[in-house]
Amino acid sequence: MTDTQTTKKTTFWGKMPLWQKILIGMVLGIITGSIMGPDAEILKPLGTLFIKAIKMLIVPLVFCSLVVGVTSMQDTRKMGRVGLKSIVLYLGTTAVAITIGLGLGTIFSPGAGLNMDASTVSQATKEAPTLVQTLLNMIPTNPVDALAAGNILQIIVFALGLGIALTLSGEKGKPAIAVFESLAEAMYTLTGLVMKLAPYGVFGLMAWVAGKYGLEILLPLIKVVAVVYLGSIIHVVIFYSGLVSLLGRLSPIPYLKGIATPAAVAFTTTSSSGTLPASIKAAREELGVSKGISSFVLPLGATINMDGTALYQGVCALFIAQAFGVDLEFSDYIVIIATSTLASIGTAGVPGAGMIMLSLVLTTVGLPIEGLAIIAGIDRILDMARTTVNVCGDLMVSTLVAKSENELDQDIYSAQPTSDSAKA
């Protein structure tokens, strides 16, 4: 009888979505920490194990994913042109998204006044590097040293260069590309395994946080959610619509109507890849994007476009900095924008991508990675917003690229058909 009950419990826990497990871990951690008080320190190693595992993934995951992402581009003239337009738009909108997140985080200061212990942060004084020096520091003089030291910006630049070189090498580059594809798949699998530790790691860290700082640490999380959702609405309704109007010289109203269905799917599934069929259907039947453009630009967007995640990172990075009393300098803001924008190419589509990318940002600017535990409990709520923004961005870029290539059926776009006229 006991074995049967154990089997049922295991099956129930095994079938539960990861976000629910993390939420349960957070709640149980808060309750446990509140009861144990300072004694909850003994549970911190559970969280430390998870944090170390996350750090272990960062360098190989970003490097392999970026190389594979670059080499997956087909080397034809038109596809190269379309790909370049798409990538420029995707990376440009990502930079704007994280800027919006940083701006809203600065205005609303969700982590101000928490006064958490910043002993985990390096307190060594540092002179703010100039913008030129920051850009020069992105180029590694020794890629092996950059990989060993975990210098994320230098790793990203080297991986982009290597991916381009392998693509230009033709047949001789294909064996190396196959190796990186295999390594990337292995890293995706390992990421999935590490993310299974998340509920237990979050439990340990939240118990420690609640025991050390008390429940008052949790109230600002409501403010974080509100700021992220406000930023998401601004980014889609104002920024995306503005680009459709200014760059595409199109009315933004049909665009906003056309994205409704895929946006709803994205909000409920929190998966850009899972929303892809709905996105392609909407692009062709609601927005008038040609089959060729939608088939190329939308899957590319599901791979590299992470506007919503970038916006979320801007808010969360400032929340953690404010909570731990860390003053970020202007150069840190530049580094956050550059890291999030470039890293979006390599980590989109990976399970736990938002948390992985946030860990990159925190590590790059020297913020305590323990702040991940505070954010993890509300990650599902935030994920619904950021995935919706990502999908809306994919459809915006596909519309603009199709318009620039004269492959946008403006009759379909303007009419917003819902019947057989969509097949015209």
Side-chain angles (χ1 to χ4, degrees), residues 44-60 190 194 197 201 205 356 359 363 369-370 372:
K44 189 182 177 183
L46 286 174
T48 303
L49 174 64
F50 174 61
I51 294 299
K52 283 182 173 289
I54 287 286
K55 288 183 176 180
M56 175 185 70
L57 293 172
I58 293 175
V59 170
L190 183 56
V194 169
L197 296 174
L205 284 175
I356 294 290
S359 70
T363 300
I369 201 169
E370 287 79 7
L372 284 175

Side-chain angles (χ1 to χ4, degrees), residues 89-91 93-98 235 240 272 300-314 339-358 360 383 386-387 389-391 393-394:
L89 282 170
Y90 282 137
L91 296 186
T93 56
T94 298
V96 171
I98 192 167
H235 197 64
Y240 285 163
S272 296
L300 180 65
T303 304
I304 71 172
N305 179 36
M306 297 193 78
D307 286 11
T309 304
L311 190 152
Y312 140 92
Q313 287 166 6
T339 302
S340 298
T341 302
L342 295 177
S344 67
I345 300 175
T347 53
V350 178
M355 193 172 294
I356 294 290
M357 285 184 66
L358 183 56
L360 292 181
D383 199 8
R386 64 181 183 240
T387 303
V389 173
N390 293 344
V391 169
D394 296 344

Side-chain angles (χ1 to χ4, degrees), residues 31-268:
I31 294 172
T32 302
S34 300
I35 295 173
M36 295 182 65
D39 292 337
E41 177 79 22
I42 63 173
L43 297 174
K44 189 182 177 183
L46 286 174
T48 303
L49 174 64
F50 174 61
I51 294 299
K52 283 182 173 289
I54 287 286
K55 288 183 176 180
M56 175 185 70
L57 293 172
I58 293 175
V59 170
L61 177 63
V62 171
F63 183 68
C64 294
S65 297
L66 271 170
V67 172
V68 171
V70 174
T71 56
S72 65
M73 299 286 294
Q74 298 295 319
D75 192 21
T76 65
R77 182 170 297 181
K78 179 180 178 180
M79 195 167 291
R81 185 175 67 247
V82 170
L84 179 61
K85 291 179 182 178
S86 302
I87 290 174
V88 169
L89 282 170
Y90 282 137
L91 296 186
T93 56
T94 298
V96 171
I98 192 167
T99 303
I100 291 174
L102 289 171
L104 292 176
T106 301
I107 293 171
F108 292 100
S109 302
L114 291 182
N115 300 320
M116 296 183 67
D117 184 7
S119 61
T120 55
V121 187
S122 175
Q123 295 297 317
T125 57
K126 56 176 182 179
E127 293 184 7
T130 64
L131 178 60
V132 172
Q133 190 61 45
T134 299
L135 294 175
L136 290 176
N137 288 340
M138 293 171 61
I139 311 299
T141 55
N142 186 333
V144 176
D145 282 348
L147 290 166
N151 190 317
I152 301 302
L153 286 176
Q154 292 186 359
I155 292 169
I156 290 173
V157 171
F158 177 61
L160 290 174
L162 180 60
I164 293 171
L166 287 173
T167 301
L168 295 176
S169 298
E171 291 295 324
K172 292 184 178 180
K174 288 185 177 179
I177 292 174
V179 171
F180 279 110
E181 288 176 345
S182 179
L183 288 172
E185 287 300 321
M187 290 310 304
Y188 299 153
T189 302
L190 183 56
T191 300
L193 295 175
V194 169
M195 290 306 297
K196 290 182 178 181
L197 296 174
Y200 311 102
V202 169
F203 168 77
L205 284 175
M206 288 307 295
W208 168 67
V209 168
K212 185 172 183 178
Y213 301 104
L215 295 179
E216 59 270 15
I217 187 65
L218 305 174
L219 297 179
L221 293 182
I222 298 174
K223 200 171 182 180
V224 172
V225 173
V227 172
V228 169
Y229 272 71
L230 174 62
S232 298
I233 293 171
I234 291 173
H235 197 64
V236 174
V237 176
I238 297 179
F239 179 63
Y240 285 163
S241 295
L243 288 182
V244 169
S245 179
L246 295 175
L247 297 183
R249 298 187 180 279
L250 298 165
S251 170
I253 302 302
Y255 161 73
L256 292 174
K257 290 181 178 178
I259 64 176
T261 298
V265 174
F267 190 79
T268 52

